[in-house]
Amino acid sequence: MVNFKVGIIGAGPSGLAMLRAFESEQKKGNPIPEIKCYEKQDNWGGMWNYTWRTGVGKYGEPLHGSMYKYLWSNGPKECLEFADYTFMEHFGQPISSYPPREVLFDYIQGRINKSNARSFIQFNTVARWVEYLEDQKQFRVVFDNLVKNETFEEYFDYLVVGTGHFSTPNMPYFEGIDQFPGTVMHAHDFRGADQFVDQKLLLIGSSYSAEDIGVQCYKHGSKSVTIAYRTAPIGVKWPDGIQEKPLLTHFEGDRAFFSDGTHEQFDAVIMCTGYQHKFPFLPDELRLKTNNCLYPDNLYKGVIFNDNERLIYLGMQDQYYTFNMFDVQAWFARDYMLGRVDLPIKEEREADIKKWVDYVDSTTTDVEHVDFQTDYIKDLITLTDYPPFNLDKVAEMFKSWLNDKKVNILNYRDQVYTSVMDGTEAVPHHTPWIEEMDDSLERYLQQENIMENVS
Ligand code: FAD
Ligand code: NAP
Ligand code: MG
């Protein structure tokens, strides 16, 4: 054991990547620090740990989960695959490229179940407040054990924040919405299309949540879906039954008035207006302050907080890449904590951050954004011993995915890709996505159906 203590807040994919990074070091026979991870939910997996609840959890905490029933991966699984644990290794057979939530959750758990990670995690425990003690160079963190209803404190030499940033809704106001007679909710509280069957739906926002909730509600029988955009439409070819309109100006009763002069009656409104980076447990001087973007300012290499180099943030970027990006970040953070990375002085770090921020500011298209995040990971991975993988090929897959969605938003999930990790070619799912109403793991893995359709 090396002589320092690491605290990790959150056991979602980012926090679990951190645990896995240390575990891989331990397996090589190298000493690791004392590690403790705290998770406010009663299980790991973060977003992937689906809950039927909305609003507050069992213990009255703001509910973390934003995922919903019938959620299928919105990007090819080949783009998020762990380099040290492939889908083939986990499932023992090729599967399709766009699995449903439960299948991806199973995959995440497969890797971590092989380790002793669970023993490092204290569940049902929420970080309440952090303070940095300059003289002893330690963080004092106050936690609540939700089950025992007890408050306690711990001291850490390094603090890793992996609490995600797609949990606290950004909820704008529109005149007259307070009188809207039907359901008004944020995507964070959406738990599936069932309650919107036969309804006329208005979705506000034009990013992934609007696109995916819109398509799901269309698939499961909503009467119509209207997506209102502020800056730019999603701009794919929509089927009859889904339309895009410029933003609304106000509501009158159950009628929304749009800036193009049209108006329409709706049964329900879902705000797909994104999320806030929210860290209620962090004081001003330690808090990352950013919108949802590909390179939050003030994070060296996207990871180390520049105003306090013992504070580490994982997964705070907007995400094309997910699981393998969190891994690369975690491997880097581990090596940094273990003293293997020479940290430049603050001014040099600032210059490096500026270089990336300027780069991202110069990008506009989705393709450029994919290239940006690919370049970011390429830079970071060279500083670690995370198994290298063909990032150019992954970027190509992202670009095909962007194109597939433009060609047909209803069947892009039927396309298949090839793993850059082990060359496994995905097989089409036994049922076209638009006809598949059952998103369970059992249904997904029905072997006889796979065989029927493969032949
Ligand atoms: P999270 O998964 O959000 O986990 C953070 C964890 O921190 C949670 O378990 C939370 O309970 C815990 N926590 C928070 N605050 C505290 C506290 N104060 N104390 C203790 N614990 C705390 N990505 C994909 O790759 N493919 C997809 O198809 C996809 N679909 C998505 C769908 C939706 C609706 C959303 C919102 C996101 C989706 N994502 C998808 C992106 C998703 O953000 C990542 O896949 C991943 O879950 C991020 O991992 P994370 O660990 O950084 O954050
Ligand atoms: P997001 O990508 O941050 O997009 C927020 C959207 O809200 C933008 O279109 C933004 O418009 C709009 N918006 C913000 N404030 C607004 C206002 N006042 N009025 C009108 N529009 C406003 O958030 P998201 O779409 O919720 O996606 C979050 C994450 O969830 C992503 O990582 C995504 O991949 C994930 N997700 C995945 C799935 C899936 O896998 N099946 C499904 C849903 C979500 P501007 O462009 O004008 O700023
Ligand atoms: Mg957009």
Side-chain angles (χ1 to χ4, degrees):
M1 180 106 37
V2 285
N3 196 20
F4 62 93
K5 199 169 155 184
V6 177
I8 304 169
I9 307 178
S14 291
L16 293 175
M18 195 68 253
L19 288 172
R20 169 72 175 182
F22 278 118
E23 185 222 1
S24 79
E25 197 56 27
Q26 194 177 33
K27 274 197 172 146
K28 284 188 226 152
N30 295 330
I32 60 166
E34 186 184 346
I35 300 162
K36 285 191 174 178
C37 176
Y38 301 86
E39 168 54 56
K40 79 175 187 182
Q41 305 188 60
D42 63 7
N43 197 11
W44 56 26
M47 278 298 154
W48 297 94
N49 172 23
Y50 170 78
T51 174
W52 58 270
R53 291 174 192 272
T54 54
V56 292
K58 192 173 165 189
Y59 300 100
E61 296 299 313
L63 199 86
H64 189 78
S66 302
M67 282 204 181
Y68 37 84
K69 280 196 276 180
Y70 319 128
L71 182 141
W72 296 64
S73 177
N74 67 345
K77 75 179 195 306
E78 287 74 15
C79 292
L80 56 75
E81 193 166 19
F82 299 126
D84 65 347
Y85 187 71
T86 64
F87 280 95
M88 193 62 182
E89 181 177 353
H90 183 72
F91 289 105
Q93 68 187 47
I95 60 171
S96 75
S97 281
Y98 293 84
R101 181 203 56 79
E102 200 182 343
V103 174
L104 284 177
F105 187 35
D106 198 69
Y107 170 64
I108 296 168
Q109 297 196 84
R111 176 171 82 154
I112 206 78
N113 271 333
K114 288 193 165 175
S115 72
N116 56 354
R118 206 169 259 281
S119 64
F120 294 103
I121 307 171
Q122 185 171 328
F123 293 100
N124 295 305
T125 301
V126 59
R128 280 278 180 249
W129 193 246
V130 176
E131 112 187 82
Y132 185 67
L133 308 171
E134 195 65 60
D135 47 344
Q136 62 196 75
K137 300 220 173 311
Q138 280 192 319
F139 296 92
R140 171 179 173 268
V141 187
V142 177
F143 296 97
D144 270 343
N145 180 324
L146 300 172
V147 178
K148 292 186 180 161
N149 195 15
E150 277 174 11
T151 301
F152 65 98
E153 61 178 35
E154 292 272 358
Y155 292 80
F156 304 105
D157 301 289
Y158 290 91
L159 189 65
V160 179
V161 177
T163 51
H165 57 93
F166 294 129
S167 186
T168 304
N170 169 48
M171 192 74 161
Y173 173 76
F174 294 90
E175 197 190 319
I177 198 168
D178 22 10
Q179 302 300 326
F180 185 83
T183 300
V184 177
M185 64 162 67
H186 188 275
H188 170 65
D189 295 316
F190 177 80
R191 288 293 174 269
D194 311 73
Q195 77 179 93
F196 300 107
V197 171
D198 287 333
Q199 293 202 2
K200 293 176 74 176
L201 265 186
L202 173 61
L203 309 184
I204 303 175
S206 60
S207 185
Y208 297 102
S209 292
E211 174 190 302
D212 193 57
I213 291 174
V215 169
Q216 172 178 133
C217 288
Y218 168 88
K219 172 176 166 181
H220 288 261
S222 290
K223 194 179 284 172
S224 70
V225 174
T226 299
I227 301 175
Y229 62 87
R230 177 172 64 180
T231 308
I234 297 169
V236 302
K237 209 166 94 226
W238 298 105
D240 286 347
I242 307 184
Q243 63 171 344
E244 288 195 87
K245 275 180 174 289
L247 199 56
L248 54 152
T249 52
H250 66 287
F251 290 91
E252 287 177 23
D254 62 0
R255 202 160 271 279
F257 289 74
F258 298 93
S259 57
D260 63 0
T262 61
H263 50 93
E264 228 171 283
Q265 178 269 328
F266 293 99
D267 300 309
V269 179
I270 306 178
M271 300 277 192
C272 302
T273 42
Y275 295 89
Q276 307 176 36
H277 281 65
K278 194 83 178 166
F279 308 100
F281 52 90
L282 287 172
D284 195 29
E285 69 276 11
L286 299 178
R287 199 183 310 143
L288 180 68
K289 295 175 184 179
T290 181
N291 61 351
N292 185 28
C293 65
L294 289 169
Y295 209 89
D297 202 359
N298 220 18
L299 288 182
Y300 178 65
K301 299 295 173 198
V303 172
I304 300 171
F305 193 58
N306 210 28
D307 294 334
N308 183 318
E309 57 203 52
R310 288 168 174 260
L311 179 60
I312 287 160
Y313 283 93
L314 298 180
M316 289 301 150
Q317 295 70 14
D318 195 8
Q319 294 152 14
Y320 287 93
Y321 291 82
T322 52
F323 303 162
N324 45 36
M325 177 172 75
F326 308 149
D327 274 7
V328 174
Q329 293 184 329
W331 257 248
F332 171 75
R334 176 203 66 194
D335 288 348
Y336 161 64
M337 287 185 265
L338 289 172
R340 296 179 190 156
V341 173
D342 285 329
L343 201 64
I345 59 164
K346 193 173 179 193
E347 288 66 31
E348 284 172 36
R349 303 198 302 262
E350 238 159 52
D352 190 73
I353 293 170
K354 185 170 184 310
K355 188 186 83 186
W356 288 99
V357 170
D358 287 347
Y359 176 10
V360 80
D361 284 349
S362 74
T363 61
T364 48
T365 65
D366 288 336
V367 164
E368 287 171 343
H369 291 156
V370 166
D371 285 336
F372 174 84
Q373 199 154 59
T374 304
D375 286 344
Y376 162 65
I377 298 172
K378 275 186 185 171
D379 177 60
L380 197 58
I381 203 170
T382 57
L383 304 174
T384 73
D385 68 351
Y386 190 68
F389 58 100
N390 191 334
L391 279 148
D392 291 322
K393 274 255 160 61
V394 179
E396 265 175 44
M397 288 194 276
F398 273 121
K399 291 172 193 174
S400 307
W401 160 74
L402 289 167
N403 192 54
D404 291 344
K405 290 206 292 182
K406 288 211 175 93
V407 172
N408 189 339
I409 192 73
L410 300 181
N411 79 4
Y412 79 91
R413 287 186 168 102
D414 298 330
Q415 309 306 315
V416 285
Y417 288 91
T418 300
S419 165
V420 296
M421 304 304 178
D422 65 4
T424 302
E425 287 175 39
V427 293
H429 183 48
H430 47 67
T431 307
W433 177 80
I434 194 72
E435 290 164 24
E436 179 60 278
M437 297 299 170
D438 183 344
D439 65 335
S440 68
L441 179 74
E442 293 69 31
R443 165 79 184 155
Y444 182 77
L445 293 178
Q446 265 171 15
Q447 188 67 25
E448 65 277 22
N449 278 355
I450 290 177
M451 298 324 289
E452 256 170 35
N453 282 273
V454 162
S455 56

